[in-house]
Amino acid sequence: MDFKEKIAQLISNIVDMNKSDIKELIEVPQNCTMGDYALPCFKLAKELKKSPGLIAKDITEKIPDVEYFEKVGAVNGYVNFFVQKEFFISGILSDIINKKEEYGKSDLGKGKNIVIDYSSPNVAKPFHAGHLRSTVIGKALYNIFNFIGYNSIGINHLGDWGTQFGKLIMAYKNWGDKETVERDDVKELSRIYVKYHEESEKNPSLDDEARGWFVKMQNGDKEALDLWKWFIDISMKEYNRIYERLNIKFDYFTGESFYNDKMDAVVDELKEKNLLTKSEGAEIVELDNFNMPPCLIIRSDGGTLYPTRDISAAFYRKKEYDFDKCIYVTAFDQNLHFAQWFKVIELMGYDWSDRLIHVPFGLVNLPDGKMSTRSGRVVLMEDILNSAVNKAINVINEKNPELENKEQVAEQVGIGAIIFNDLYNSRIKNVVLDLDKMLNFDGETGPYVQYTYARTCSLLKKGNVDENGILGESEYITDEASYRVIKLLEEFPAKVIDAADKYEPYIVTRHIVDICQAFNKFYHDNNILGSEEKIKKARLSLTFAVNCVINSGLKILGIDAPERM
Ligand code: ARG
């Protein structure tokens, strides 16, 4: 039962305002002594030119008696609604038990495509912590939008083109060998790339040769392109290992090179629209009027750039997927890059430029400080994943040494802990890779949520509840702790929508933690399996509903939910 809808309906009969506008205004008070729902009358006061207090009082007097509200009262300019608890509880529980993993899904985004550009590492360079963040946040957004009915399209915009490949070819020819590259993959490629930079500082003529190789690549030279393709294959081996462990998939791997034959058209259009200016041999779009440095389109040597490829990619995606939104998940240090080229699209006269959304995130730090390339403290992602899994194994050996398939559960717990830690705060906050903290089963962590989920599984198993669930009578659910759980379950669908509106997966994460905490309090306060049959049935149905919602939540976040741990 949609209580907000009911309230909006009742009020639209009293005041002159349409139902959906009223629905927008309705809040869920933090403090339940203020009711289950509240309508603030401040906006209405402006329109009706009466004080909020008077309007609230007026509405309260005129509202008819309905069975599903126990009490309606006016306090400080709010109309507070207290739902009839039994009605509320049975409504939520039966809804969840009917829909199971479908509970909370909606068709808000029906017929709309959302493109999500995430992960996108740079070939031949290690997959670093920033790419991990992009991967995890991007995938969560992908799931969040799918959950509310959009068609998400996930794209890995690999950094697989640019002058650096000329340098890498030089590096390989001078200091590399096939065997070592095949054995050590990206590690070896980045080693020879760094070596190249050291050498080219002493001997700048290397750069001319490297440029020569990139020109060869652009002209379709077979040797150059074969090497380039091989570098991509080698790099993908590492990336795919990581994607597999994180259970990440993409719909398309259309990297930067995919746009090589699509940039001329964009450059021509920019010329036609008189947006290009020559500056020191390069072609740029001036953005002085918008307080931004110019957007570089063509370099002085004729080469294209990162923004040129992003602009071309946006046109391609618009045409190919007719997106409702196209979302880019990268670290905040690319804020200017995106602001610049979004502006270029706007200046070209396309009103869909406001459907291009940059979703930035903060840095990744180690517990003892910043991770930086200069001090040599780059942490390899595979090492991080391995350490998390090793720690998880230790905890399991300590807590539950008899557990079957320990290795598999440790993988789920270790990886889950890392994903959870990334999605626990607002994106823009820095993430600290503190393995001890993220693997603490008693903190607000991935393992804590997984453990709570496993607890629901074990209760259901012991109570002989199968996957069809169980529906008890709501009159046997009377205590505050149980009611708090039900209220949180009811809010879950709205939280997912809110997360989509704000591009903030943490809203789902936090809500799942709230549900776990409330459930654990319920579990602590109530005897479940040992109670009298009717009460037991009611409590098991609450447990079943919690089990469904935690499972959905973890799925959205991309975290596995082991049934035992
Ligand atoms: N390859 C870039 C990097 O590692 C991220 C690409 C993001 N996507 C985009 N369309 N620009 O910094």
Side-chain angles (χ1 to χ4, degrees), residues 117 120-122 131 157 159 256 306 310 328 330 334 337-338:
D117 174 319
S120 313
N122 299 318
H131 295 125
H157 189 77
E256 295 188 34
Y306 183 45
D310 258 331
Y328 300 84
T330 80
Q334 296 196 32
H337 163 72
F338 286 100

Side-chain angles (χ1 to χ4, degrees), residues 3-4 26 69 74 103 116 131 145 231 268 270 272 354 358 361 369 450 455 459 465 481 540 554:
F3 287 95
K4 284 191 182 174
I26 299 170
F69 290 120
Y103 170 72
I116 306 178
H131 295 125
F145 279 100
F231 296 146
D268 288 346
L270 283 166
E272 229 167 77
D354 62 359
H358 181 219
F361 54 79
Q450 287 171 322
R455 170 173 278 167
L459 280 166
V465 179
L540 280 173
L554 287 177

